[in-house]
Amino acid sequence: MSEPVDTHFLEHAAALRRDPGTTLPEGLDAELALQLFDAQLRSRHLDLAARWLRSTGEGFYTIGSSGHEGNAAVAAALRPTDPALLHYRSGGFYLQRATQVPGHDGVRDVLLGLVGAASEPISGGRHKVFGHADLAVIPQTSTIASHLPRAMGVAFSVSRAAKLGVECPWPPDSVVVCSVGDASVNHSTAAGAINAAVHTSYQGVPMPLLLVCEDNGIGISVPTPAGWVESAYGHRPGLAYFGADGCDLAETLRVSREAARYVRDRRKPAFLHLRTVRLMGHAGSDVESAYRSTAELAADLGRDPVLSTARLLISAGVLTPAEVVDRYEAVRQRVRDVAQEVVALPKMTTAAQVMEPLAGPDPSAVAAAPERAGDPARRRAVFDGRLPEDEGPLTLAQSVNRALVDGTAADPGLLVFGEDVARKGGVYGVSRGLQRRLGRARVFDTLLDEQSTLGLALGAGVSGLLPVPEIQYLAYLHNAEDQLRGEAATLPFFSQRQYTNPMVVRVAGYGYQKGFGGHFHNDNALGVLLDIPGLVVASPSRPDDAGMMMRTCLTMARTHGSTCVFLEPIALYHTVDLHEPGDGAWATSYPAPGSSSDPVLGRARTYGTGEDLTILTFGNGVPMSLRVAARLESDGIGARVVDLRWLRPLPVDDILREAHATGRVLVVDETRRTGGVSEGVVTALVDHRFDGTVARVTSEDSFIPLGDAALTVLLSEETIENAARDLVSV
């Protein structure tokens, strides 16, 4: 069945006539006009092909760019080295960008994505995205507007990398372009990212970000109030506003050039508002007549940007009506020919193929990486001549601090940032003194917005830097967790690791803070982190482990592009004693890089050789279980305590070895009973057919209240001990 937009174009294009008084506007010559028209035609016919392929069962994606083809002019106003983060109606932009880099066939790229071919150049058939490393197009598979924080981060990082002398994939005078729809621009993620960009620029920090809002007046079925976008963003201090009719190619090109020039020259953000239309509905399954009138649909067809460009070319005498129709049909045929070719190409057929980009780093390779130690002379310099291994026993907070300084000796692009991390040194003093040692360009405070903090890290990671953002409390991570799930974790998956998100996200978490609390400062909800493919979750409890594990995470991020979450137990930050006041048994010396043969990654730590019981635990559960084990030993019960250390992926081999050593396993989990860590541990034992006895103790499925009431829902040593004795007695 023919699409109305197709029939409408052919009928009206054939009826157009030359206007002797019309010429091409200044700045748009015939060669460029034809090039842009061809990009528009290719985009339109790819949309039509997507519908056709879907009808035959050979295509899997029908959200198109029809009505938005004017964004080809935005690409023409930019350089092909300007990084682009594009939303799903950016067909014209992508196809024009492909013409700017010799040897690239944008039509084939898109069709390979539509049919899920394994040879698709960016995602390998995992998703239909606009992305290509050679074209500086960073693929986006985002939930609504979730790519805007990353775009802000890339814009920040272009200049910051140059300032630090770190190699960046983008030229130092780049403009970062990010497209978004009129409905999406209302999302809190978009609002936060734009605010962060303006806030950063207000302080004099370069922020070369061009935000392109393609306003078609409707979000699936919900209309955008007329004039709303300009009202919201047209008069915002610190954000230059440029508006154009996105259906008028010449005007779009002129205004896009003005906007790009402003951003490139002034290194400040700008908002380019293109008024477009949406043709062919939201997607192939969309029945627009259910929520839009016939008059509205007809009015949109009357503004068809492809027909508008045809009218300009015919009026100016560049093409005749017959040549326009011939050109249109020639592109249709070419798209059809390529489509028929690519449908026969191989698809991914195994789980191993699909999951290949999710493979973690080789632990031995991480352990051997030279980046772990860094240059000895530089290391001594950043520590002012006093190396941390010579300081004597340190706390967990101090060990993390020293590991971050160590990281800069190995990587000049390491950045530490977050709320209160710089001048204050963090709420708990973990980053105290880092800004003095490392400088304001490396250690700085961010605004109070976790989405923007993680977006900054995402942008820094793809720009050659090594970001270490801090989320002040675990509860605050939930404000921004889609930046981990929908952006960080998916990028290597949908780009076949051509793009990765190297970063180590520091998070203060867990419970047991005495005299301070409430659920926003005592949070043990880890479930959201445990099921994100490819994410590494580290959870140290001992100071020396904290140092080694932080260095390991930094190395994984740099050498493998890993995204790591580093969970720091608040209650153990400054803990010195273990069994009794003054014993100093929980403070440890800082391990010098290369001093341990233990690669740490994916390995647990075992305390003791007891043969009666294996206690599997982590975080605060480790010192609690060690105290329980000491009391059990006094009664002749031998228990070994295993600190998991790595919660994702779990150290399964170590779990199984220590479980089989005693035949009895108690899983001690300070997180919640439902969705907590213990579920994965027990499942691992079951999956590997452990035939011993297994029990678990956890905190309650509850938020954590203030004061001593918290202890009623948090796991206690008494509960651990009672469960251990019961298990041994069986």
Side-chain angles (χ1 to χ4, degrees):
M1 185 177 79
S2 64
E3 294 286 345
V5 67
D6 191 28
T7 304
H8 183 271
F9 178 88
L10 290 171
E11 290 177 350
H12 287 76
L16 296 172
R17 294 293 180 265
R18 168 85 163 94
D19 182 353
T22 300
T23 60
L24 292 176
E26 183 180 355
L28 180 64
D29 59 29
E31 181 181 1
L32 180 57
L34 289 172
Q35 187 183 94
L36 292 173
F37 185 48
D38 285 346
Q40 291 183 306
L41 292 178
R42 290 193 290 270
S43 180
R44 176 62 55 83
H45 281 296
L46 284 168
D47 286 354
L48 294 170
R51 304 293 175 94
W52 167 63
L53 288 166
R54 185 72 192 107
S55 70
T56 63
E58 301 286 356
F60 309 101
Y61 194 90
T62 56
I63 297 178
S65 304
S66 292
H68 289 240
E69 292 92 347
N71 55 39
V74 181
L78 296 165
R79 301 170 184 169
T81 54
D82 289 330
L85 298 89
L86 307 175
H87 73 157
Y88 47 60
R89 301 201 191 277
S90 301
F93 184 109
Y94 183 82
L95 292 161
Q96 176 60 22
R97 174 64 65 89
T99 68
Q100 296 172 307
V101 182
H104 288 277
D105 184 350
V107 167
R108 186 176 181 86
D109 291 349
V110 174
L111 286 168
L112 288 168
L114 291 173
V115 302
S119 54
E120 191 271 326
I122 190 66
S123 76
R126 292 170 181 82
H127 196 49
K128 188 274 177 187
V129 295
F130 292 120
H132 204 298
D134 293 348
L135 306 180
V137 178
I138 304 170
Q140 303 304 313
T141 63
S142 61
T143 49
I144 301 302
S146 70
H147 60 302
L148 268 69
R150 183 200 299 274
M152 177 273 298
V154 174
F156 170 89
S157 300
V158 167
S159 298
R160 187 54 52 99
K163 184 174 184 176
L164 295 173
V166 174
E167 184 177 355
C168 179
W170 333 115
D173 64 344
S174 291
V175 169
V176 179
V177 61
C178 178
S179 57
V180 66
D182 54 289
S184 299
V185 83
N186 295 306
H187 198 280
S188 62
T189 306
I194 295 170
N195 180 73
V198 175
H199 181 275
T200 303
S201 178
Y202 180 80
Q203 300 174 78
V205 178
M207 181 55 64
L209 177 62
L210 177 60
L211 295 157
V212 182
C213 178
E214 298 179 21
D215 180 3
N216 60 29
I218 194 166
I220 303 185
S221 67
V222 180
T224 298
W228 165 248
V229 173
E230 183 174 1
S231 174
Y233 292 101
H235 311 283
R236 177 145 186 192
L239 183 66
Y241 176 85
F242 299 85
D245 180 357
C247 299
D248 184 327
L249 185 71
E251 182 179 329
T252 301
L253 179 63
R254 176 180 59 80
V255 177
S256 296
R257 283 170 168 168
E258 291 175 4
R261 189 179 307 113
Y262 173 92
V263 175
R264 198 177 308 277
D265 292 347
R266 301 197 185 192
R267 316 309 285 167
K268 293 182 177 182
F271 190 95
L272 174 58
H273 180 200
L274 300 181
R275 299 179 300 279
T276 65
V277 292
R278 191 189 72 186
L279 306 176
M280 298 177 66
H282 175 69
S285 59
D286 186 21
V287 183
E288 286 191 285
S289 59
Y291 56 87
R292 301 189 74 193
S293 69
T294 302
E296 288 175 324
L297 297 174
D300 281 355
L301 279 173
R303 292 189 62 214
D304 180 354
V306 182
L307 184 61
S308 174
T309 302
R311 183 178 296 109
L312 172 64
L313 294 172
I314 293 170
S315 296
V318 178
L319 294 175
T320 66
E323 289 172 332
V324 164
V325 172
D326 288 348
R327 206 176 190 99
Y328 184 86
E329 293 297 349
V331 173
R332 185 201 304 272
Q333 188 60 52
R334 199 240 163 184
V335 170
R336 281 288 186 113
D337 289 346
V338 178
Q340 291 174 333
E341 175 192 343
V342 301
V343 294
L345 294 177
K347 314 296 193 295
M348 290 182 294
T349 57
T350 68
Q353 284 179 294
V354 173
M355 296 171 64
E356 185 178 2
L358 299 174
D362 179 1
S364 60
V366 173
E371 290 87 350
R372 289 177 67 89
D375 178 71
R378 177 174 172 77
R379 185 168 182 261
R380 185 168 291 277
V382 297
F383 281 112
D384 298 327
R386 188 189 184 196
L387 297 177
E389 54 266 34
D390 299 328
E391 291 187 63
L394 301 177
T395 63
L396 190 147
Q398 291 170 325
S399 292
V400 173
N401 179 288
R402 306 309 190 261
L404 292 173
V405 179
D406 245 341
T408 64
D411 195 315
L414 187 143
L415 304 178
V416 178
F417 55 88
E419 301 159 15
D420 301 305
V421 304
R423 286 177 290 182
K424 181 178 176 62
V427 173
Y428 297 96
V430 180
S431 54
R432 186 171 297 145
L434 289 186
Q435 189 177 71
R436 177 187 61 81
R437 286 185 183 275
L438 307 179
R440 295 177 180 272
R442 296 183 189 279
V443 183
F444 50 90
D445 294 314
T446 63
L447 74 173
L448 188 65
D449 178 16
E450 287 78 19
Q451 289 190 119
S452 295
T453 298
L454 292 184
L456 176 59
L458 293 170
V462 298
S463 301
L465 299 168
L466 181 55
V468 185
E470 178 186 293
I471 301 300
Q472 208 165 76
Y473 293 101
L474 178 58
Y476 299 173
L477 178 65
H478 304 309
N479 300 331
E481 57 200 24
D482 189 54
Q483 291 297 297
L484 291 179
R485 188 208 68 84
E487 290 291 332
T490 62
L491 184 62
F493 183 73
F494 290 119
S495 71
Q496 305 181 93
R497 304 200 68 81
Q498 295 173 75
Y499 291 103
T500 59
N501 288 127
M503 56 193 269
V504 182
V505 185
R506 292 183 48 243
V507 185
Y510 301 122
Y512 302 100
Q513 291 192 78
K514 295 180 180 177
F516 187 69
H519 74 287
F520 272 106
H521 302 101
N522 290 271
D523 187 15
N524 58 2
L526 304 187
V528 70
L529 297 173
L530 301 179
D531 69 345
I532 300 177
L535 189 70
V536 174
V537 181
S539 181
S541 59
R542 271 174 63 116
D544 53 353
D545 279 352
M548 288 192 293
M549 292 171 71
M550 173 57 74
R551 295 200 305 258
T552 296
C553 286
L554 292 173
T555 302
M556 284 193 292
R558 171 54 68 204
T559 62
H560 188 71
S562 299
T563 299
C564 306
V565 175
F566 199 79
L567 288 170
E568 301 167 6
I570 297 172
L572 298 179
Y573 268 145
H574 306 295
T575 296
V576 174
D577 304 322
L578 176 59
H579 295 289
E580 58 187 36
D583 67 11
W586 204 244
T588 68
S589 296
Y590 184 84
S595 62
S596 175
S597 61
D598 185 356
V600 181
L601 172 61
R603 297 297 308 275
R605 176 192 284 266
T606 300
Y607 298 83
T609 58
E611 299 181 354
D612 298 315
L613 175 66
T614 298
I615 299 176
L616 302 175
T617 188
F618 61 95
N620 292 287
V622 177
M624 294 166 69
S625 296
L626 287 172
R627 288 190 287 269
V628 168
R631 293 194 288 272
L632 294 175
E633 186 178 11
S634 67
D635 291 338
I637 301 171
R640 61 184 65 196
V641 176
V642 181
D643 181 357
L644 300 175
R645 302 195 295 194
W646 301 92
L647 305 185
R648 182 174 178 88
L650 284 168
V652 175
D653 290 345
D654 293 342
I655 289 172
L656 294 172
R657 184 189 64 251
E658 301 299 341
H660 285 297
T662 67
R664 299 184 184 90
V665 173
L666 177 63
V667 184
V668 174
D669 180 5
E670 65 178 288
T671 67
R672 300 173 189 174
R673 189 166 189 81
T674 303
V677 174
S678 61
E679 290 185 343
V681 176
V682 172
T683 299
L685 291 167
V686 171
D687 286 349
H688 289 84
R689 300 183 179 181
F690 175 67
D691 57 1
T693 306
V694 180
R696 65 177 178 138
V697 288
T698 71
S699 293
E700 299 291 342
D701 286 344
S702 173
F703 300 109
I704 301 173
L706 285 171
D708 290 344
L711 301 178
T712 66
V713 295
L714 288 173
L715 178 64
S716 69
E717 285 188 28
E718 181 183 7
T719 300
I720 298 170
E721 184 171 349
N722 290 338
R725 293 183 182 278
D726 289 345
L727 195 59
V728 172
S729 68
V730 174

